[in-house]
Every structure is written in structure tokens, then in C-alpha cells.
Amino acid sequence: MNASTSCPLCAAARARGPDHLASLDECEIVLGENQGCPGWCVAILRDHVEHMDELTIDRQARVWGDVARVARAIRRVLATNGEGGGPARLNYECLGNVVPHIHWHIVPRHAGEPDLRAPVWLRSPDALRGSLAPEARQHLASRLSEAIRRA
Ligand SMILES: [Zn+2]
């Protein structure tokens, strides 16, 4: 079995379930499983590559263009709590510590979060997952999908 058949993010990049938001230049965009910060999106590189530096500079730029487009959409959809519209802050993270397949977390941090200055990964699994109801999750996914198309 090669990496692309056993890798959960390769499977996620191929899936077209209700959490799939958009297909951009290099990445498939999904609403994250974790919604402890509502609007949390993940940009998954379409093919299995472990490290950003393995991509050409042009591809790295296109990946970043995809991430920036999602960020713009999140700030438009969640224009509530931060100064000037949008969430209080966006966190951009490309870790690969758990699944070694290039993916970017774009995490809106909302005003009023008790730990706004800390990385989200310090939270418990339940706090990361959040409590967004299925209907609210679907509504958020459709708004984000529409906004990404326009971003
Ligand atoms: Zn993969």
C-alpha cells in the first residue's frame, strides 16, 4: 500500500461530502472536523506531498493563494467580532505532525474566546471539536463555500 492509498488526507481530498467547500488551484477546501472555533477550514493539497519545500516555488505560491482565498472568505462570512470586520484573528498553520500530507488549517479566532492568545491545540479534544449543531454546520459550510467562490 503506498502513501496515497493509506493516507487519510488523500482520501479527504478525493471526498465530496457535505464538508467539501471548494476545489481551488492546488487544494481541496473542507470545513474542519473541529469547529471549536466556528468557521475553521482546512486546505488539503490535492496530491500526496509531505513537505512544502518539496513543491516548486510556483506551486507553493498557488497553495498560499488558495489559503489566502479561504481566509478572505472566512473574514467575509464571519464579519462580527473583530475590529474592521471578520474574526478577531486568523491563525494559519501547516503542521504535518499528525498526518504528513501538506494541509493548512485556517482558524478564525473569535473575540471572547478565553484563550485567544494561546494556540488552539492546547485545548481538550472536546473543546477543539466544539458543539456546532449539524444544521448550523451545514449552513456555515454553504455560506463559506459561496464566499470562497466569490473571494
Ligand atoms: Zn496523502
Side-chain angles (χ1 to χ4, degrees), residues 10-63:
C10 284
R14 289 189 297 267
R16 291 296 179 275
D19 289 340
H20 182 262
L21 302 179
S23 296
L24 300 182
D25 288 346
E26 294 281 352
C27 298
E28 298 296 330
I29 313 303
V30 299
L31 189 65
E33 287 180 14
N34 289 324
Q35 289 297 307
C37 299
W40 184 330
C41 292
V42 183
I44 306 167
L45 187 74
R46 200 166 289 116
D47 52 325
H48 186 89
V49 179
E50 185 169 346
H51 300 285
M52 280 295 287
D53 68 275
E54 294 179 289
L55 301 176
T56 65
I57 291 291
D58 284 349
R59 287 196 73 195
Q60 291 181 48
R62 285 196 297 272
V63 168

Side-chain angles (χ1 to χ4, degrees), residues 34-40 107-110 113 120 123 127-130:
N34 289 324
Q35 289 297 307
C37 299
W40 184 330
V107 185
R109 304 298 302 271
H110 301 273
E113 290 182 19
V120 290
R123 296 180 181 181
L128 284 174
R129 184 161 293 276

